[in-house]
Amino acid sequence: MGDTRGLKILSTLAEDGRLTVELAEESLPPPTGHELLVRVEAAPINPSDLGLLFGPADVGNADYGEGRIVAQMPDAARRALAARIGQAMAVGNEGAGTVIAAGDAPEAQALIGKLVTCVPGGMFAQYRLVDARSVMALPDGASAEQGASAFVNPMTALGFVETMRRDGHKAIVHTAAASNLGQMLVRICREDQIPLVNIVRSQAQAETLKALGAEHVLDSSREDFRAQLQSAIEATGATIAFDAIGGGALVGQILHAMEQAASKNGAYSRYGSGTLKQAYIYGALDMAPTILNRSFGFSWTVGGWLLFPFLQRAGGETVERMRQRVRANLTTTFASPYKARLSLEDALTRDAVLAYNARRTGEKYLIVPNG
């Protein structure tokens, strides 16, 4: 077998702040050892991909050519991203496809012809060399599209539940909750009988979650939102939150509502209640500063949450249990609807970029490199 040629998307930041995102040809050698050569058939565009693909570059005023975009990165961002200047970076965390060749390791040979899902990075490409020990074979009857989003969102949603249990909480607050991930979390919490408070930003998003059977759905655009938030937290006993927004006052409002619920009918303490309130920020839909008005006593923490560090801490047994749950429920609990499907070429057109880079809640896009 000779080299396999294909196309992939690369993102390169120059010293002067110009960001070039383009289609590039590559030549992949035959797989060896535990390697698999996968023909990529579907790869979702996740928020984490957009951070590498464009970041805060001005895509609205970029120059669009055939298979090539040149945009300007703001000076502050260019300085913050100095470590990646000059590097042509492959994009696409996860995806699914068919194994068309394998190295001589038995584990690799057993997967020839199989449909697999994996998260090696660089999946916005027609072909990808991956390690057979890191992939998950999809169940019989599943499609590449169904398996494309089988890792990041499902494992993140399950990771929230595992973190809740590890930290000794019994209910969760989740923001931007009508997202693909948020809908999975609603289904998981219903199955596991975990109380969940869902915060969305419109009535239409609220209706989406209610149709899934979500009990506590709050629209943050309503005037009575803060009163509803406190009532929902009192009803559920939620003391841990996972926030996809990052900037603004919402995290502080959640902690305040948790404190009000915890101290209700209790004796006064200048230090607040003794109930630990935790908020994890895992997204950056709002890049503004996170505002904490400190109206929630002293028993609280705010930190970041990322999937891969969590998986490293969780250990192999926990991770495998999570993976098997995803595999067994790929088309139900962990199903991912898509707003549109794009070829590699289409993904670099102006209309497509402005649509998927807007990061609208519930609008997930899929790249089909060989479609």
Side-chain angles (χ1 to χ4, degrees), residues 41-264:
E41 295 169 22
I45 304 176
N46 291 315
S48 54
D49 299 317
L50 294 174
L52 179 59
L53 195 61
F54 301 118
D58 184 5
V59 295
N61 294 304
D63 292 327
Y64 289 84
E66 188 173 346
R68 181 182 172 91
I69 304 168
V70 180
Q72 188 64 36
M73 190 73 75
D75 284 343
R78 177 186 58 80
R79 292 191 296 269
L81 297 171
R84 64 164 289 189
I85 287 176
Q87 299 183 53
M89 308 192 77
V91 189
N93 276 327
E94 66 178 332
T98 301
V99 177
I100 60 174
D104 56 9
E107 299 95 324
Q109 285 289 312
L111 291 169
I112 291 178
K114 300 287 188 181
L115 197 60
V116 299
T117 181
C118 51
V119 58
M123 290 295 283
F124 293 171
Q126 291 182 312
Y127 300 95
R128 187 75 172 85
L129 281 173
V130 301
D131 192 316
R133 294 163 294 190
S134 67
V135 308
M136 181 173 72
L138 295 177
D140 292 342
S143 67
E145 181 171 315
Q146 291 169 330
S149 296
F151 193 89
V152 174
N153 281 350
M155 296 294 274
T156 296
L158 288 173
F160 290 168
V161 173
E162 293 290 335
T163 301
M164 177 207 74
R165 291 172 173 150
R166 179 200 66 191
D167 292 354
H169 303 275
K170 65 177 184 178
I172 295 171
V173 178
H174 186 221
T175 72
S179 65
N180 182 282
L181 187 158
Q183 293 181 41
M184 290 182 188
L185 187 61
V186 168
R187 300 186 193 107
I188 292 167
C189 288
R190 287 193 66 196
E191 292 170 9
D192 294 3
Q193 298 184 320
I194 297 169
L196 175 65
V197 178
N198 302 275
I199 299 176
V200 297
R201 290 178 285 185
S202 71
Q203 187 58 36
Q205 292 173 357
E207 294 303 324
T208 295
L209 293 189
K210 289 177 181 177
L212 294 177
E215 181 178 359
H216 301 283
V217 186
L218 314 180
D219 179 355
S220 62
S221 68
R222 290 174 55 101
E223 290 186 4
D224 61 348
F225 165 67
R226 296 190 69 171
Q228 287 193 356
L229 177 61
Q230 184 172 332
S231 296
I233 288 175
E234 288 178 4
T236 59
T239 48
I240 187 170
F242 295 92
D243 173 53
I245 297 171
L250 185 55
V251 167
Q253 291 171 355
I254 293 169
L255 291 173
H256 174 80
M258 289 177 177
E259 173 65 13
Q260 293 299 107
S263 59
K264 188 175 183 180

